[in-house]
Amino acid sequence: MAAGGWWLKGFIGIVAVIGFGEFVRLIIKATDNIPYRLAAILAATFYIGIAAILLMNMAPFIQIVTVVTVILTDTGAYFTGRALGGPKIAPRISPSKTWSGLFGGMIAAGIWLMIVVGFIGLALRGLASSTDTTPEGKTLLFALAIGAMLAIAAQAGDFLESWLKRKAGVKDSSNLIPGHGGVLDRVDGLLPVAIIVGLLTGWAGV
């Protein structure tokens, strides 16, 4: 593997270790029950560890698509939620999250994956003598559905951390990034998405 690949793996590993440390900190603050703490820390080990390993071993193109999907989910949810407002999903856990924002994130992620699949089809069409490689409508709709599913997963990861922070009585996972909280605050939505994409692409042999 190229040196750049190892550098990237090392960066992902460092982020994972820091995020795990912040996760443990939240767990300790959230409960004094030792068995609960141990069970939660074990779950966090698998959760973050599996996400990091799968992300490390993705093809560079898939890594980019995965990260951009999460970014667009957050962006779509933020602007749609601000523009439309409406009922909250779980105000006790995350007061700013609305159903309109969730749907906005789902649409943004879905359109992004449709664009990706469309460009892949055009690229294959340019390399092949046949025109059969153009994505069919059902393929694009499938990409839209996958994008929407990944957006829901990203929001679920965000809610998980928000719930844990509520239990711990803190605003951010740490103060490591001035003005942005901790590493876990930045990657909470990426963790479940990385797991899903890693498993799907591994199953598909991508």
Side-chain angles (χ1 to χ4, degrees), residues 2-204:
W6 285 112
W7 279 108
L8 179 58
K9 285 189 175 184
F11 174 75
I12 293 172
I14 291 171
V15 170
V17 169
I18 295 174
F20 175 72
E22 293 175 347
F23 214 126
V24 171
R25 171 178 174 267
L26 293 178
I27 292 169
I28 292 173
K29 284 180 172 290
T31 179
D32 294 325
N33 187 299
I34 300 301
Y36 285 177
R37 282 182 177 178
L38 294 177
I41 290 172
L42 181 61
T45 302
F46 281 103
Y47 181 50
I48 296 179
I50 291 172
I53 291 170
L54 290 173
L55 189 61
M56 286 180 186
N57 289 283
M58 288 178 191
F61 175 72
I62 301 298
Q63 288 175 335
I64 293 171
V65 171
T66 301
V67 172
V68 173
T69 298
V70 177
I71 292 173
L72 290 179
T73 295
D74 290 341
T75 303
Y78 175 78
F79 285 106
T80 306
R82 287 288 298 270
L84 301 180
K88 310 291 185 180
I89 300 176
R92 291 186 178 182
I93 298 175
S94 185
S96 63
K97 296 290 190 303
T98 62
W99 286 103
S100 63
L102 173 61
F103 290 129
M106 292 169 63
I107 292 170
I111 291 175
W112 160 244
L113 285 193
M114 286 178 67
I115 292 172
V116 170
V117 170
F119 271 109
I120 291 174
L122 290 175
L124 291 175
R125 182 179 179 182
L127 294 173
S129 57
S130 171
T131 60
D132 293 339
T133 54
T134 303
E136 299 179 0
K138 61 181 180 181
T139 303
L140 295 177
L141 287 176
F142 182 69
L144 177 67
I146 293 294
M149 178 190 71
L150 293 178
I152 293 173
Q155 292 290 291
D158 188 295
F159 272 113
L160 173 62
E161 198 216 357
S162 295
W163 171 79
L164 189 55
K165 287 191 293 186
R166 288 276 174 180
K167 297 289 288 184
V170 298
K171 180 182 178 183
D172 300 313
S173 60
S174 77
N175 297 318
L176 186 62
I177 308 173
H180 294 277
V183 166
L184 192 60
D185 295 316
R186 300 299 96 202
V187 302
D188 53 2
L190 179 60
L191 294 173
V193 173
I195 292 173
I196 294 172
V197 172
L199 293 176
L200 286 177
T201 54
W203 173 77

